[in-house]
Amino acid sequence: MQLVNARDVKNVPGRPKTDKLDAVWLAKLTEKGMLRPSFVPPAPVRQLRDYTRLRIDLTRERTRYWQRLEKLLEDALIKVSAVASTMTAMSVRDMLEALIAGERDPHRLAGLARGRMRSKHAALVPALTGRFDAHHGVMARVLLNQIDALNAEIAVLDDQIDDQLAAITAAAPEEVSPEAEAGGATGQDAVQRLSEVTGIGVLTAQIIVAEIGVDMSQFPTAAHLVSWAKLSPRTLQSGAVLQGGRTGKGNPYLKGALGEAAAVAARTDTFLGERYRRLVKRRGKLKALVAVARSILVIVWNLLADHSVRYRDLGADHYVSRIDTQRRVRNHLSQLAALGYRVTVEPAA
């Protein structure tokens, strides 16, 4: 039995229209080897994928509850989010608990600040001056209870993910093909080495391992993996005219993780950050992020295809160091000559 893409079946001529004949036609196509089986990871990786996807969904749900809580505070004219860097800070939690308990004095509430937030006492006093009443306290308690429950469930999933990664490592000789066993990575080792890549943290590395597995024999080259993840835009050709098409939908969890990693890497002074800054000038932010995400996925494939390889950043000056200086000088001189200038070039002392 094979899991195939319906689009591949649709492109084969002679496809009948009834369900019975369609079933016979699918059986014949499978028998003749005209259908490509879709990528299905082994059972331990599928279980890991269920855990990571559920953790992502619960994390998003927790974020929605934090947003509801912030909206509730704004309704009570409490603007603590304008002073605190995040609503999840322990200082903010202490202030919320005091508000729910009945404390209304802004000076006492601001005195609950911890650490670096103590220096913001002057800004906290007006931010905590509002009309927080009993019904706000009831709603805030309900929202905080929901957040605490989600935190507990996410913590359980974190433990299950760590255990599942260890299980994948222990089951490597049986679950992984001989080719991948000789040159691939499994479980915790894969997460550790992927987390060394710019923009990829431990959580993102766990998501990547859960979505694509650790056996890169399923993807002969990095281009195959990039195409499967829908990070390579199609080329639309009509005669001599070439146009770039869309990348496609792909795996939303994998593309989301790679997109977050690309956004983080774009703000760093590294090779990936410089690649983003070079592309964003002429292609725009979104296309530049997709290009960086594709580069990250190529790095991931190379790390998983050979477990002896470690990530090494090429540096932000990688493009500059590879430039032919004489060619650049000639280009600048030709541009100045086109503007009507005559320039004499002398080496600097």
Side-chain angles (χ1 to χ4, degrees):
M1 181 179 295
Q2 293 181 344
L3 176 64
V4 300
N5 194 331
R7 183 180 60 186
D8 296 341
V9 180
K10 184 178 180 181
N11 293 332
V12 179
R15 183 169 180 262
K17 300 300 180 183
T18 64
D19 291 342
K20 283 188 176 182
L21 295 178
D22 189 42
V24 175
W25 180 243
L26 291 175
K28 289 183 178 180
L29 293 179
T30 304
E31 181 182 2
K32 298 180 183 299
M34 298 178 66
L35 299 178
R36 297 178 301 172
S38 298
F39 168 61
V40 179
V45 178
R46 294 199 303 270
Q47 295 172 5
L48 176 63
R49 183 176 59 187
D50 292 338
Y51 290 142
T52 56
R53 289 184 177 183
L54 181 58
R55 183 177 63 181
I56 292 174
D57 296 337
L58 294 181
T59 303
R60 292 172 179 172
E61 187 67 21
R62 182 181 60 183
T63 302
R64 283 190 283 268
Y65 277 108
W66 278 117
Q67 292 171 344
R68 293 189 183 104
L69 180 59
E70 184 177 6
K71 183 179 179 181
L72 175 67
L73 294 177
E74 290 179 352
D75 178 71
L77 301 181
I78 302 296
K79 296 290 293 182
V80 67
S81 59
V83 181
S85 59
T86 175
M87 291 287 294
T88 61
M90 294 300 298
S91 299
V92 177
R93 182 60 184 260
D94 293 341
M95 297 173 190
L96 291 175
E97 293 291 348
L99 283 170
I100 295 173
E103 182 61 58
R104 299 292 182 266
D105 186 359
H107 293 278
R108 292 183 179 178
L109 293 173
L112 298 175
R114 304 182 184 183
R116 290 182 297 177
M117 195 177 291
R118 293 178 181 176
S119 61
K120 303 179 181 179
H121 185 276
L124 282 171
V125 172
L128 293 170
T129 303
R131 53 182 187 85
F132 194 94
D133 54 23
H135 102 279
H136 290 114
V138 173
M139 297 179 65
R141 171 51 60 197
V142 172
L143 294 175
L144 286 176
N145 289 341
Q146 292 293 330
I147 292 172
D148 292 339
L150 289 172
N151 286 333
E153 294 171 355
I154 291 173
V156 172
L157 288 176
D158 289 336
D159 295 337
Q160 291 295 328
I161 289 172
D162 292 336
D163 295 341
Q164 192 64 27
L165 285 170
I168 292 175
T169 304
E174 292 79 16
E175 296 292 339
V176 182
S177 64
E179 296 81 6
E181 184 181 351
T186 55
Q188 298 284 8
D189 175 67
V191 171
Q192 180 182 359
R193 291 188 298 114
L194 291 182
S195 61
E196 299 174 359
V197 181
T198 305
I200 297 182
V202 175
L203 298 182
T204 304
Q206 292 174 350
I207 295 173
I208 294 175
V209 170
E211 296 300 331
I212 67 177
V214 294
D215 184 3
M216 289 298 101
S217 64
Q218 299 287 339
F219 307 100
T221 64
H224 287 78
L225 177 58
V226 170
S227 178
W228 176 82
K230 294 296 186 292
L231 286 176
S232 57
R234 295 184 303 164
T235 300
L236 305 179
Q237 182 176 1
S238 178
V241 180
L242 293 176
Q243 295 180 347
R246 296 185 176 182
T247 56
K249 294 183 179 180
N251 186 326
Y253 293 93
L254 177 61
K255 294 186 72 173
L258 292 174
E260 292 179 2
V264 173
R267 298 191 295 268
T268 60
D269 188 22
T270 59
F271 167 76
L272 293 174
E274 183 62 23
R275 175 169 173 77
Y276 170 82
R277 288 185 286 272
R278 287 169 61 91
L279 292 173
V280 73
K281 299 176 183 177
R282 53 189 175 87
R283 302 297 291 177
K285 293 183 179 180
L286 296 180
K287 291 185 178 180
L289 286 176
V290 172
V292 174
R294 180 194 179 278
S295 299
I296 293 177
L297 190 57
V298 171
I299 295 172
V300 168
W301 183 89
N302 284 278
L303 291 175
L304 295 181
D306 186 357
H307 70 276
S308 63
V309 175
R310 309 292 291 196
Y311 176 70
R312 180 178 62 86
D313 183 48
L314 297 177
D317 60 342
H318 176 72
Y319 292 103
V320 178
S321 61
R322 298 181 61 187
I323 291 176
D324 187 349
T325 56
Q326 295 299 325
R327 180 179 180 182
R328 171 165 284 194
V329 169
R330 290 194 300 268
N331 290 340
H332 288 316
L333 290 177
S334 62
Q335 293 175 7
L336 290 172
L339 294 175
Y341 294 95
R342 181 180 299 173
V343 180
T344 301
V345 180
E346 295 181 357

